[in-house]
């Protein structure tokens, strides 16, 4: 990717002995690229800057003479900052003792092609030896902010001492929103820097509620596109322009805006140009005045000012403090400052210098760690250190959850049923989760299950003791006992939902639930019909009860239950439930659950129960106003109302509950509906049988109840 114009490359080379390697040799095509500033050392660090210097080199005396015919003083001082840091390290007794650092500094002339040639020269090592093994080096940038370079997989050997545009682009969107500018235009460089930065800004702007009227881009080598951008700006209604442009593109845009006399726009700038004094001219101020943006933070580097001023003094006055070369003159204490009337570059404004300084020290500290590292720590102190040789050279960041790193730059995904351990160096089996008998939730559910069974059995015993009394006889004792039996099964079937799902338990839990509840609702439906028929039988000359006697009641319950049995058999035959490892809900653990197999079978079972419940509710509702001695219909109405409410609420709760909570919701629905039927239908009768036996007479049954 063409991001080399704003990169500061540092290749780490110790010695270039590659004779023992099996790799094929590289052959440089064309003339080798020579560094413009260089110094030999045990370790060579390469530097690449834009439009930094134009100089000649006296190779005989190895002394540099700089003749500045065309110079960008800002970039040249970046190179000088690198040299200052290297010399400071070489003088240090604590950092890299007995190791000298050299440098090779290249000028890319602001050209992508020149940048590529200089980078290749740095990556290949000693440029004068054209038959060398091409070994890639590490790069540290002081100003490359493109977010595209943040991928450790794509760029494992790229580092930087400046924040990526991810933060700047989001901050620009927040800045625009802060001032209430919700209608803006956007212009960016047609490069990785501009395109990536603008993409992040647009995404953040959308989140902040900022609308963008237009998005235009151009490259410095595309004057036609630039004119199109100027025309779009002229015709637009947006008065705020977010300019994600490199320094050169911003300069070109300003020139054209001045030519076309386009003013009255509020520019929002980026770090590449917002502090560039060279852009501020008497003509450009009418366009740029009031621009806002984020700048690189200023930092004071001890000793740098003195170093740069000395170099600046010798350069601009073309003299030497230590008069050695006869071709140059000695510096005077009193120089004519009129020569500096056009100088406008303040040392204090060199914001990027601290990033360069930190980059050089980052390399030095990495090398120092390698020198101190022992073989037991996995360090290889051979003559050449490659970027991937992760533990002494830099601090490792932990891999994301579910990935591990085994002493490498890359993180590897664990197999589907495994998860990374805490230190991210091994994959361990995922925890398997299900509703086990030992959990507190399961114990609570089992308590209410067994309590429901005990209550049901107690009611059955009470009815059995009083089976010859008028109250029990009037409430159809046979259907009452069958209903109590089915309720016991309903309570007990909830136990099949607890424990580790197996093939048999998955098939049993759903079919047992479906059949026992149909048996229960069928009994209630039979009792409701009996109530209606009993009322009809009290009318003169009515023999309706012979059409729905005990035999018909048994057949009704049996036939209705048999239909559910057939549905369950078809479900188990075609596509039965089975144990399933659900790894989609939680990435770090496995939910062991029962898959429905056929969803149609499951909803058919539930649907059939719902149809019977609705039918029972309707009939009981119609019979609710019968004489008081037949008021069981009221209790059936309430029981079916509770039953329907529980299962209607169950559907969204079942669908939305994750993991083992799904099973808990289903058990709760079973218990709640079972308790509702038990209390609504049998509680009033048990009250009379146990506490008001004086009302359990034929006279009371034929008269008004109470």
């Amino acid at each position: 990717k063409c991001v080399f114009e704003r990169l500061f490359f540092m290749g780490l080379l110790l010695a270039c002995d590659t004779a023992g390697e099996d790799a094929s040799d590289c052959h440089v095509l064309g003339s080798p690229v020579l560094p413009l500033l260089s110094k030999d050392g045990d370790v060579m660090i390469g530097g690449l800057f834009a439009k930094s210097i134009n100089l000649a080199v006296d190779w005989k005396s190895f002394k540099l003479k700089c003749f500045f015919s065309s110079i960008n003083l800002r970039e040249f001082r970046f190179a000088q900052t690198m040299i200052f840091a290297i010399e400071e390290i070489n003088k240090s007794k604590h950092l890299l003792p007995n190791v000298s650092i050299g440098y090779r500094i290249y000028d890319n002339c602001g050209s992508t092609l020149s940048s590529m040639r200089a980078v290749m020269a740095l990556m290949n090592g000693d440029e004068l030896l054209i038959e060398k093994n091409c070994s890639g080096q590490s790069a540290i940038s002081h100003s490359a902010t493109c977010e595209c370079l943040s991928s450790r997989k794509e760029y494992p050997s790229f580092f930087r001492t400046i924040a990526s545009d991810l933060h700047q682009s989001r901050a620009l969107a927040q800045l625009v929103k802060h001032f209430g500018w919700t209608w803006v235009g956007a212009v960016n460089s047609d490069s990785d820097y501009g395109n990536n930065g603008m993409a992040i800004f647009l995404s953040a702007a959308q989140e902040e509620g900022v609308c963008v009227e237009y998005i235009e881009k151009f490259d410095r080598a595309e004057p036609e596109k630039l004119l199109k951008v100027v025309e779009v700006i002229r015709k637009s209604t947006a008065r705020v322009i977010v300019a994600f442009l490199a320094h050169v593109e911003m300069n070109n845009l300003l020139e054209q805006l001045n030519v076309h006399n386009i003013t009255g726009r509020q520019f929002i700038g980026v770090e590449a140009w917002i502090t560039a004094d060279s852009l501020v001219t008497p003509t450009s101020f009418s366009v740029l005045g009031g621009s806002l943006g984020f700048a690189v933070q200023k930092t004071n580097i001890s000793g740098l000012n003195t170093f740069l001023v000395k170099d600046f003094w010798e350069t601009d006055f073309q003299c030497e403090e230590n008069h050695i070369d006869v071709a140059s003159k000695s510096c005077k204490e009193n120089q004519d400052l009129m020569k500096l009337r056009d100088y406008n570059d303040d040392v204090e404004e060199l914001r990027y210098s601290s990033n360069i300084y930190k980059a050089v020290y980052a390399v030095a500290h990495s090398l120092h760690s390698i020198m101190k590292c022992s073989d037991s720590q996995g360090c290889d102190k051979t003559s050449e250190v490659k970027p991937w040789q992760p533990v002494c050279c830099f601090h490792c960041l932990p891999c994301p959850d579910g990935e591990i790193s085994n002493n490498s730059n890359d993180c590897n995904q664990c197999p589907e049923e495994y998860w990374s351990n805490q230190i991210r160096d091994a994959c361990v089996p995922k925890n398997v989760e299900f509703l086990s008998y030992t959990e507190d939730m399961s114990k609570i559910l089992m308590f209410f299950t067994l309590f429901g069974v005990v209550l049901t059995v107690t009611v059955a015993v009470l009815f059995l003791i009083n089976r010859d009394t008028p109250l029990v006889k009037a409430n159809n004792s046979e259907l009452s006992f069958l209903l109590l039996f089915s309720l016991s099964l309903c309570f007990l079937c909830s136990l099949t939902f607890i424990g580790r799902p197996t093939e048999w338990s998955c098939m049993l839990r759903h079919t047992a639930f479906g059949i026992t509840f149909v048996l229960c609702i069928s009994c209630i439906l039979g009792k409701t019909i009996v109530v209606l028929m009993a009322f009809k039988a009290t009318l003169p000359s009515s023999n309706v009860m012979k059409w729905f006697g005990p035999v018909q009641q048994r057949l009704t319950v049996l036939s209705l239950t048999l239909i559910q049995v057939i549905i369950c058999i078809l479900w188990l035959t075609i596509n039965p439930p089975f144990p399933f490892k659900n790894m989609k809900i939680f990435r770090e653990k496995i939910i062991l659950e029962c898959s429905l197999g056929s969803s149609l079978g499951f909803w058919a079972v539930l649907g059939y129960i719902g149809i019977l419940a609705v039918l029972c509710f309707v009939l009981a509702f119609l019979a609710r106003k019968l004489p008081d001695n037949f008021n069981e219909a009221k209790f059936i109405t309430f029981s079916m109302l509770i039953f329907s409410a529980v299962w209607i609420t169950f559907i969204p709760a079942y669908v939305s509950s994750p993991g083992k909570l799904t099973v808990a919701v289903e058990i709760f629905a079973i218990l709640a509906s079972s308790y509702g039927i038990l209390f609504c239908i049998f509680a009033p009768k048990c009250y009379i049988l146990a506490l008001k036996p004086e009302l359990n007479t034929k006279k009371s049954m034929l008269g008004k109840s109470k």
Side-chain angles (χ1 to χ4, degrees):
K1 298 185 178 181
C2 298
V3 293
F4 297 105
E5 301 162 37
R6 307 184 63 245
L7 296 185
F8 169 58
F9 285 87
M10 291 188 176
L12 306 184
L13 289 85
L14 293 183
C16 298
D17 183 9
T18 58
E21 299 187 8
D22 296 329
S24 59
D25 289 335
C26 284
H27 300 273
V28 178
L29 299 178
S31 301
V33 180
L34 301 178
L36 298 180
L37 290 172
S38 67
K39 180 181 179 181
D40 291 334
D42 299 327
V43 178
M44 300 300 296
I45 299 179
L48 174 59
F49 299 97
K51 297 182 179 178
S52 57
I53 40 183
N54 183 7
L55 53 82
V57 181
D58 183 356
W59 291 102
K60 293 182 179 179
S61 62
F62 290 95
K63 177 166 179 59
L64 301 178
K65 295 182 180 179
C66 301
F67 302 99
F68 299 93
S69 59
S70 172
I71 182 168
N72 182 327
L73 191 56
R74 175 173 174 266
E75 294 288 338
F76 176 66
R77 284 185 171 171
F78 288 168
Q80 291 296 91
T81 301
M82 175 180 168
I83 296 173
F84 168 76
I86 291 175
E87 291 185 359
E88 192 175 66
I89 294 169
N90 284 337
K91 294 175 183 177
S92 173
K93 297 180 180 179
H94 305 288
L95 184 60
L96 290 177
N98 302 320
V99 176
S100 64
I101 300 179
Y103 54 83
R104 291 191 178 94
I105 299 177
Y106 293 82
D107 182 3
N108 68 7
C109 301
S111 165
T112 302
L113 180 59
S114 298
S115 299
M116 292 291 291
R117 294 186 64 192
V119 169
M120 293 306 297
L122 283 172
M123 292 174 65
N124 290 335
D126 190 348
E127 306 82 12
L128 299 178
L129 301 176
I130 61 174
E131 291 190 5
K132 287 292 296 180
N133 186 307
C134 296
S135 58
Q137 312 300 335
S138 292
I140 303 179
S141 174
H142 70 291
S143 62
T145 58
C146 183
E147 173 60 18
C148 59
L149 295 168
S150 296
S151 172
R152 302 310 304 158
K153 290 187 177 180
E154 292 187 46
Y155 307 102
S157 299
F158 175 78
F159 308 92
R160 53 184 159 198
T161 54
I162 190 171
S164 79
D165 286 326
L166 176 67
H167 311 285
Q168 177 177 219
S169 299
R170 290 176 176 174
L172 289 175
Q174 295 173 6
L175 178 67
V176 171
K177 179 64 178 297
H178 174 76
F179 287 100
W181 297 324
T182 57
W183 183 244
V184 303
V187 182
N188 65 274
S189 300
D190 192 5
S191 62
D192 286 338
Y193 167 71
N195 292 331
N196 281 273
M198 182 57 70
I200 299 171
F201 167 78
L202 294 175
S203 176
Q206 185 177 12
E207 294 177 2
E208 297 289 343
V210 177
C211 297
V212 181
E213 180 183 4
Y214 60 85
I215 307 168
E216 296 294 330
K217 58 185 177 181
F218 68 95
D219 184 76
R220 65 190 65 179
E222 298 174 327
E224 299 83 6
K225 283 191 177 181
L226 174 58
L227 294 176
K228 176 179 175 293
V229 172
V230 173
E231 185 65 17
V232 170
I233 294 175
R234 188 181 67 81
K235 293 181 178 180
S236 69
T237 58
R239 289 296 180 264
V240 179
I241 302 175
V242 178
F244 217 106
L245 297 167
H247 185 280
V248 177
E249 278 86 3
M250 188 61 193
N251 185 62
N252 295 344
L253 178 61
L254 283 177
E255 290 178 355
Q256 291 301 319
L257 292 176
N258 284 326
V259 169
H260 292 82
N261 195 27
I262 300 176
T263 59
R265 268 64 173 181
Q266 171 66 52
F267 273 89
I268 306 297
V270 291
E271 97 297 339
W273 63 266
I274 195 66
T275 58
D277 294 338
S278 59
L279 294 179
V280 182
T281 64
T283 56
S284 69
F285 187 79
S286 59
V287 179
L288 277 183
S291 297
L292 296 175
F294 296 96
V296 178
Q297 187 176 5
K298 297 179 183 178
T299 304
N300 180 44
I301 301 175
S302 177
L304 179 61
N305 285 4
T306 303
F307 181 84
L308 292 180
V309 168
K310 173 180 176 296
D311 176 75
F312 154 77
W313 195 269
E314 293 182 350
T315 299
D316 275 66
F317 290 107
Q318 297 183 2
C319 64
E320 288 184 351
E321 183 178 358
N322 299 319
H323 187 57
I324 300 175
D325 197 333
V326 294
S328 63
K329 59 184 179 180
S330 177
C331 291
K332 301 177 181 178
E333 293 183 1
N334 300 317
Q335 296 284 356
D336 185 5
L337 299 182
M338 287 301 296
K339 294 182 180 180
L340 308 179
R341 60 184 179 274
D342 295 326
Y343 176 78
N344 61 0
D345 198 357
D346 188 355
V347 172
E348 297 296 332
E349 287 297 319
L350 297 180
R351 300 171 182 268
Y352 289 94
S353 296
S354 63
N355 292 343
I356 299 170
Y357 186 79
K358 287 185 287 187
V360 175
Y361 266 87
V363 175
H365 281 289
S366 297
L367 290 172
H368 189 77
S369 297
I370 293 175
M371 300 301 180
K372 290 170 53 180
C373 196
S374 63
D375 294 337
S376 61
Q377 293 177 287
C379 295
D380 183 10
K381 295 183 182 179
T382 56
S383 60
E384 185 174 2
V385 180
K386 299 184 183 298
W388 56 85
Q389 289 175 318
V391 291
C392 299
C393 301
F394 54 87
H395 176 66
C396 292
L397 296 176
C399 290
D401 291 340
E403 298 183 12
I404 63 169
S405 177
N406 190 9
N407 295 326
S408 65
N409 283 338
D410 297 326
C411 293
N412 300 316
Q413 186 74 40
C414 288
E416 192 175 24
E417 296 190 13
Y418 288 79
W419 195 247
S420 55
N421 61 357
Q422 189 172 2
I423 59 176
R424 305 289 194 274
D425 65 347
C427 292
V428 295
K430 291 182 180 178
N431 292 328
V432 178
E433 185 179 272
F434 57 89
L435 193 63
S436 64
Y437 289 102
T438 58
E439 294 186 41
D440 292 337
M441 185 187 300
S442 299
K443 292 176 181 178
I444 294 173
L445 293 173
M446 285 190 293
F447 169 78
F448 283 103
T449 296
L450 298 177
F451 184 68
V453 173
V454 171
L455 282 181
T456 306
V457 172
T458 302
V459 173
V461 171
L462 189 60
F463 264 58
L464 185 62
I465 295 172
N466 297 277
R467 63 185 180 279
D468 295 327
T469 61
L471 179 62
V472 177
K473 288 182 177 180
N475 283 278
N476 198 323
S477 59
E478 186 174 351
L479 283 180
S480 295
F481 283 115
L482 187 58
L483 176 57
L484 289 169
F485 172 71
S486 64
L487 278 174
S488 299
L489 295 179
C490 289
F491 280 115
L492 290 173
C493 80
S494 64
L495 295 177
T496 63
F497 289 82
I498 303 176
R500 187 181 187 91
T502 62
E503 189 173 346
W504 285 103
S505 67
C506 287
M507 291 190 291
L508 178 63
R509 65 172 57 172
H510 291 99
T511 53
F513 153 74
I515 294 172
T516 55
F517 264 88
V518 165
L519 178 61
C520 179
I521 302 299
S522 299
C523 293
I524 298 174
L525 183 60
K527 290 174 69 67
T528 308
I529 296 175
V530 168
V531 171
L532 290 172
M533 295 301 174
F535 176 71
K536 295 288 185 181
T538 61
L539 298 177
S541 64
S542 175
N543 58 352
V544 71
M545 282 304 295
K546 73 177 183 179
W547 298 107
F548 201 73
V551 177
Q552 288 81 5
Q553 295 170 22
R554 298 188 196 102
L555 288 176
T556 299
V557 173
L558 180 62
S559 59
L560 292 176
T561 306
L562 185 61
I563 294 174
Q564 184 75 307
V565 172
I566 294 173
I567 294 175
C568 290
I569 290 175
L570 290 175
W571 183 13
L572 296 179
T573 303
I574 297 173
N575 192 3
F578 58 91
F580 171 69
K581 294 180 179 179
N582 190 335
M583 291 176 276
K584 294 182 179 179
I585 299 177
F586 302 104
R587 296 177 60 234
E588 71 279 6
K589 59 185 176 182
I590 298 174
I591 304 298
L592 189 58
E593 59 187 13
C594 284
S595 175
L596 296 177
S598 171
S599 298
L600 179 62
F602 174 74
W603 293 111
V605 168
L606 275 187
Y608 182 63
I609 296 174
I611 291 172
L612 293 182
V614 170
L615 180 59
C616 189
F617 174 77
V618 171
L619 293 178
F621 183 78
L622 294 175
R624 75 191 186 284
K625 292 186 178 180
L626 293 178
D628 285 347
N629 50 335
F630 298 112
N631 65 357
E632 188 174 23
K634 293 181 181 179
F635 304 131
I636 294 176
T637 302
F638 283 123
S639 67
M640 288 298 99
L641 191 61
I642 294 174
F643 181 88
S644 301
V646 167
W647 287 100
I648 289 174
T649 308
F650 159 78
I651 294 175
Y654 179 82
V655 173
S656 61
S657 298
K660 61 184 178 183
L661 293 180
T662 304
V663 180
V665 167
E666 197 165 358
I667 296 174
F668 176 80
I670 292 173
L671 295 178
S673 55
S674 300
Y675 274 109
I677 294 173
L678 180 64
F679 282 109
C680 287
I681 295 179
F682 291 100
K685 302 176 181 62
C686 291
Y687 173 75
I688 294 175
L689 292 175
L691 301 177
K692 296 288 184 178
E694 65 273 12
L695 298 179
N696 188 8
T697 62
K698 188 174 183 180
K699 182 179 179 180
S700 298
M701 293 299 104
L702 294 175
K704 293 185 178 181
S705 61
K706 296 281 183 187

